[in-house]
Amino acid sequence: MSNAFRRLIHFDELVPRILRNVGYLVSGTTAVSLIGIVTLVLTARALGPAGLGILALVEAYVRTIDMLFRLQPTQVLIKYGSEALEKDDKGRFERLIKLSILIDLAGGVLAGLIAISVGWLAAPVFGLGPDGFDYILVVALALFVSFRPTGVALLRLFDRFGLLAVSECCLAVMRLAIAAVALAFDLGIWAFIVMLLLHSLADGIVAFALAIRELLRRGYDGVWRASARTACTENTRIFRFLWNSNIYQILRNATQRFDVLALGVMVSPAIVGQYQVAKRSGRAVLRLARTLTQVLFPELAKLWIQGERSRFRRMVRYVTLMIFVSSSAVAIPLAFAVPSLVDAFFGEDFTGAIPMIWVLGGAIVLNVTGLAFNAALLSMGRDRELLHVTILSTALFAVAFVPAVSLWGGVGAMLCQVLFSAVWFLGCLWHLEMRPLPEKSAV
């Protein structure tokens, strides 16, 4: 084994903790992904391609409005909260939490009002049928009480990844149970709309409730009395980081949200339903890989704050190599099994999803291989560079989308996913490797 490779895979005390937390999240996410696939199968069997397409459009519309008009404080709380915890500054940490809660509250109210106000115009545009606005209204109610971003950030900071994984499994089981009942009793699309509402409500509240309990257990009982205004002044560039990290997330997720809505305008709900089968199948794999990033960001943020530049670089390279090898090993044999799996689980009505899944597989390998780049650049404070790369990738995706869909339908939309992932990967790699890190400095 070469010395370079030995240095690349050098293990220190940080790696076991990362692997332990990854184990928690992978176990939970594997269960959530498998349950999600079963739920998707039951939903597809119950509603068919057109009904599944309508459900996908309603969910995509509400989630897109939430993404656009809610500034999520998760990354901000992790970055600045890590600094406060590192310095053992309890007051500063509590003030950051108070600010995060208020940002969640304001964002949820704004997103909910906009989703409902615009919904009556959106429903006919997307071909949701006579009850389209009612579907949107019901699902959008959950936006008003979503404090998940703050809850997730706190659970990650406190190293409670296992607790977060268990809660997500419970929510997935709830969604599966509703889908099974709806299929068994032929309750129709309204049962699945209620399923979306209940899942969204629980998703927005459970993680936050668990985080508050953890805060009290650790003696942080002054959050509600803390001054959010002081948090704004004592944390340098906090709103710039909040803005840039959220714009990045919007652009990064735009290709995962806007594509369904744009496709809904251009093609029938039945094709959207087939596209949704392909996307959700791929998302199950992507969720597994993203668990590593959830663990990695707090650890990389701490390494950067401590001045551990060599360990920082080594960790990013090791994780990237590990993900590439493992994702390629899974994707190649799985591609051969796709036709049989689609026919067995979803039925012949969804065979149009097969080429979409094949193309999406290439995008996913690129996407997951570069997941560590996101955490690395944010930890380094290079949020602007990350934003610029994502703007370029999203712009190319948007330019290519209409002609690609016009020529190849849903497959064209998936080809745009490959384009986005490739440009984003190369751009982030350039910023990490072509701009050398400073040498290790004293803390």
Side-chain angles (χ1 to χ4, degrees), residues 10-20 299 303 306 308 311 314-315:
H10 171 72
F11 284 89
D12 55 31
E13 69 277 6
L14 180 62
V15 176
R17 184 164 72 247
I18 289 178
L19 293 179
R20 183 196 69 217
E299 301 293 354
L303 286 180
Q306 295 166 359
E308 295 281 357
R311 290 175 69 196
R314 186 167 57 243
M315 191 61 58

mmCIF file of all heavy atoms in Angstrom, residues 10-20 299 303 306 308 311 314-315:
data_model
loop_
_atom_site.group_PDB
_atom_site.id
_atom_site.type_symbol
_atom_site.label_atom_id
_atom_site.label_comp_id
_atom_site.label_asym_id
_atom_site.label_seq_id
_atom_site.Cartn_x
_atom_site.Cartn_y
_atom_site.Cartn_z
ATOM 1 N N HIS A 10 -5.987 7.327 6.597
ATOM 2 C CA HIS A 10 -5.545 7.369 7.982
ATOM 3 C C HIS A 10 -6.743 7.558 8.916
ATOM 4 O O HIS A 10 -7.555 8.457 8.736
ATOM 5 C CB HIS A 10 -4.570 8.537 8.168
ATOM 6 C CG HIS A 10 -4.220 8.785 9.598
ATOM 7 N ND1 HIS A 10 -3.412 7.929 10.308
ATOM 8 C CD2 HIS A 10 -4.577 9.772 10.438
ATOM 9 C CE1 HIS A 10 -3.284 8.392 11.543
ATOM 10 N NE2 HIS A 10 -3.982 9.519 11.645
ATOM 11 N N PHE A 11 -6.823 6.691 9.907
ATOM 12 C CA PHE A 11 -7.919 6.751 10.858
ATOM 13 C C PHE A 11 -7.433 7.399 12.148
ATOM 14 O O PHE A 11 -6.361 7.077 12.649
ATOM 15 C CB PHE A 11 -8.456 5.346 11.177
ATOM 16 C CG PHE A 11 -9.299 4.772 10.084
ATOM 17 C CD1 PHE A 11 -8.737 4.031 9.068
ATOM 18 C CD2 PHE A 11 -10.666 4.993 10.062
ATOM 19 C CE1 PHE A 11 -9.518 3.513 8.060
ATOM 20 C CE2 PHE A 11 -11.457 4.471 9.054
ATOM 21 C CZ PHE A 11 -10.872 3.731 8.060
ATOM 22 N N ASP A 12 -8.210 8.294 12.679
ATOM 23 C CA ASP A 12 -7.942 8.822 14.009
ATOM 24 C C ASP A 12 -9.231 8.752 14.805
ATOM 25 O O ASP A 12 -10.196 8.114 14.378
ATOM 26 C CB ASP A 12 -7.374 10.247 13.929
ATOM 27 C CG ASP A 12 -8.280 11.183 13.140
ATOM 28 O OD1 ASP A 12 -9.509 10.967 13.159
ATOM 29 O OD2 ASP A 12 -7.771 12.118 12.512
ATOM 30 N N GLU A 13 -9.264 9.414 15.931
ATOM 31 C CA GLU A 13 -10.418 9.260 16.812
ATOM 32 C C GLU A 13 -11.698 9.844 16.225
ATOM 33 O O GLU A 13 -12.804 9.542 16.684
ATOM 34 C CB GLU A 13 -10.147 9.924 18.170
ATOM 35 C CG GLU A 13 -10.060 11.452 18.137
ATOM 36 C CD GLU A 13 -8.697 11.971 17.733
ATOM 37 O OE1 GLU A 13 -7.835 11.140 17.355
ATOM 38 O OE2 GLU A 13 -8.484 13.189 17.785
ATOM 39 N N LEU A 14 -11.580 10.667 15.191
ATOM 40 C CA LEU A 14 -12.767 11.255 14.580
ATOM 41 C C LEU A 14 -13.550 10.221 13.770
ATOM 42 O O LEU A 14 -14.776 10.238 13.739
ATOM 43 C CB LEU A 14 -12.352 12.426 13.680
ATOM 44 C CG LEU A 14 -13.461 13.177 12.940
ATOM 45 C CD1 LEU A 14 -14.409 13.814 13.936
ATOM 46 C CD2 LEU A 14 -12.853 14.227 12.024
ATOM 47 N N VAL A 15 -12.827 9.312 13.103
ATOM 48 C CA VAL A 15 -13.466 8.374 12.190
ATOM 49 C C VAL A 15 -14.442 7.427 12.893
ATOM 50 O O VAL A 15 -15.564 7.229 12.418
ATOM 51 C CB VAL A 15 -12.407 7.582 11.387
ATOM 52 C CG1 VAL A 15 -13.073 6.535 10.507
ATOM 53 C CG2 VAL A 15 -11.584 8.535 10.539
ATOM 54 N N PRO A 16 -14.070 6.802 14.027
ATOM 55 C CA PRO A 16 -15.050 5.916 14.683
ATOM 56 C C PRO A 16 -16.349 6.614 15.044
ATOM 57 O O PRO A 16 -17.427 6.021 14.938
ATOM 58 C CB PRO A 16 -14.301 5.444 15.938
ATOM 59 C CG PRO A 16 -12.866 5.556 15.584
ATOM 60 C CD PRO A 16 -12.766 6.760 14.703
ATOM 61 N N ARG A 17 -16.274 7.883 15.477
ATOM 62 C CA ARG A 17 -17.499 8.598 15.828
ATOM 63 C C ARG A 17 -18.355 8.846 14.594
ATOM 64 O O ARG A 17 -19.577 8.704 14.632
ATOM 65 C CB ARG A 17 -17.164 9.928 16.510
ATOM 66 C CG ARG A 17 -18.391 10.673 16.998
ATOM 67 C CD ARG A 17 -18.088 11.770 17.996
ATOM 68 N NE ARG A 17 -17.456 12.912 17.382
ATOM 69 C CZ ARG A 17 -16.204 13.296 17.625
ATOM 70 N NH1 ARG A 17 -15.448 12.593 18.444
ATOM 71 N NH2 ARG A 17 -15.694 14.367 17.044
ATOM 72 N N ILE A 18 -17.694 9.207 13.488
ATOM 73 C CA ILE A 18 -18.435 9.414 12.242
ATOM 74 C C ILE A 18 -19.087 8.115 11.793
ATOM 75 O O ILE A 18 -20.268 8.080 11.428
ATOM 76 C CB ILE A 18 -17.503 9.966 11.145
ATOM 77 C CG1 ILE A 18 -17.127 11.412 11.453
ATOM 78 C CG2 ILE A 18 -18.172 9.888 9.772
ATOM 79 C CD1 ILE A 18 -16.174 12.022 10.447
ATOM 80 N N LEU A 19 -18.313 7.029 11.833
ATOM 81 C CA LEU A 19 -18.857 5.748 11.395
ATOM 82 C C LEU A 19 -19.999 5.273 12.294
ATOM 83 O O LEU A 19 -20.965 4.686 11.824
ATOM 84 C CB LEU A 19 -17.747 4.695 11.354
ATOM 85 C CG LEU A 19 -16.658 4.927 10.293
ATOM 86 C CD1 LEU A 19 -15.603 3.833 10.386
ATOM 87 C CD2 LEU A 19 -17.260 4.972 8.901
ATOM 88 N N ARG A 20 -19.889 5.543 13.594
ATOM 89 C CA ARG A 20 -20.974 5.167 14.503
ATOM 90 C C ARG A 20 -22.247 5.920 14.166
ATOM 91 O O ARG A 20 -23.336 5.331 14.069
ATOM 92 C CB ARG A 20 -20.574 5.466 15.952
ATOM 93 C CG ARG A 20 -21.611 5.029 16.986
ATOM 94 C CD ARG A 20 -21.353 5.694 18.323
ATOM 95 N NE ARG A 20 -21.628 7.124 18.258
ATOM 96 C CZ ARG A 20 -20.901 8.048 18.897
ATOM 97 N NH1 ARG A 20 -19.846 7.714 19.591
ATOM 98 N NH2 ARG A 20 -21.228 9.324 18.794
ATOM 99 N N GLU A 299 -18.782 17.582 12.033
ATOM 100 C CA GLU A 299 -17.403 17.179 12.299
ATOM 101 C C GLU A 299 -16.420 18.031 11.509
ATOM 102 O O GLU A 299 -15.391 18.469 12.043
ATOM 103 C CB GLU A 299 -17.210 15.698 11.958
ATOM 104 C CG GLU A 299 -18.109 14.745 12.720
ATOM 105 C CD GLU A 299 -17.787 14.694 14.216
ATOM 106 O OE1 GLU A 299 -16.785 15.316 14.629
ATOM 107 O OE2 GLU A 299 -18.550 14.053 14.950
ATOM 108 N N LEU A 303 -13.448 20.628 12.815
ATOM 109 C CA LEU A 303 -12.055 20.537 12.366
ATOM 110 C C LEU A 303 -11.569 21.876 11.812
ATOM 111 O O LEU A 303 -10.434 22.297 12.061
ATOM 112 C CB LEU A 303 -11.915 19.452 11.297
ATOM 113 C CG LEU A 303 -11.967 17.995 11.752
ATOM 114 C CD1 LEU A 303 -11.821 17.067 10.554
ATOM 115 C CD2 LEU A 303 -10.875 17.704 12.777
ATOM 116 N N GLN A 306 -10.970 24.356 14.576
ATOM 117 C CA GLN A 306 -9.778 24.000 15.343
ATOM 118 C C GLN A 306 -8.484 24.163 14.550
ATOM 119 O O GLN A 306 -7.397 24.011 15.102
ATOM 120 C CB GLN A 306 -9.895 22.549 15.816
ATOM 121 C CG GLN A 306 -11.028 22.321 16.806
ATOM 122 C CD GLN A 306 -11.358 20.853 17.003
ATOM 123 O OE1 GLN A 306 -10.742 19.984 16.386
ATOM 124 N NE2 GLN A 306 -12.334 20.582 17.848
ATOM 125 N N GLU A 308 -7.471 22.285 12.011
ATOM 126 C CA GLU A 308 -6.925 20.978 11.603
ATOM 127 C C GLU A 308 -7.070 20.812 10.088
ATOM 128 O O GLU A 308 -7.870 20.013 9.593
ATOM 129 C CB GLU A 308 -7.657 19.857 12.348
ATOM 130 C CG GLU A 308 -7.450 19.870 13.841
ATOM 131 C CD GLU A 308 -6.102 19.269 14.229
ATOM 132 O OE1 GLU A 308 -5.376 18.792 13.334
ATOM 133 O OE2 GLU A 308 -5.786 19.289 15.416
ATOM 134 N N ARG A 311 -6.184 17.140 8.510
ATOM 135 C CA ARG A 311 -7.242 16.178 8.801
ATOM 136 C C ARG A 311 -8.505 16.504 8.003
ATOM 137 O O ARG A 311 -9.208 15.611 7.536
ATOM 138 C CB ARG A 311 -7.558 16.156 10.292
ATOM 139 C CG ARG A 311 -6.475 15.555 11.165
ATOM 140 C CD ARG A 311 -6.824 15.687 12.624
ATOM 141 N NE ARG A 311 -7.952 14.844 12.995
ATOM 142 C CZ ARG A 311 -8.651 14.992 14.113
ATOM 143 N NH1 ARG A 311 -8.359 15.978 14.958
ATOM 144 N NH2 ARG A 311 -9.649 14.183 14.380
ATOM 145 N N ARG A 314 -7.941 15.375 4.372
ATOM 146 C CA ARG A 314 -7.907 13.925 4.311
ATOM 147 C C ARG A 314 -9.294 13.323 4.464
ATOM 148 O O ARG A 314 -9.663 12.364 3.772
ATOM 149 C CB ARG A 314 -6.976 13.388 5.408
ATOM 150 C CG ARG A 314 -6.744 11.896 5.350
ATOM 151 C CD ARG A 314 -5.585 11.484 6.254
ATOM 152 N NE ARG A 314 -5.787 11.879 7.618
ATOM 153 C CZ ARG A 314 -5.014 12.744 8.285
ATOM 154 N NH1 ARG A 314 -3.996 13.316 7.669
ATOM 155 N NH2 ARG A 314 -5.260 13.040 9.546
ATOM 156 N N MET A 315 -10.097 13.897 5.363
ATOM 157 C CA MET A 315 -11.433 13.381 5.599
ATOM 158 C C MET A 315 -12.325 13.556 4.359
ATOM 159 O O MET A 315 -13.061 12.647 3.974
ATOM 160 C CB MET A 315 -12.063 14.088 6.804
ATOM 161 C CG MET A 315 -13.343 13.444 7.297
ATOM 162 S SD MET A 315 -13.108 11.743 7.848
ATOM 163 C CE MET A 315 -11.877 11.974 9.132
#
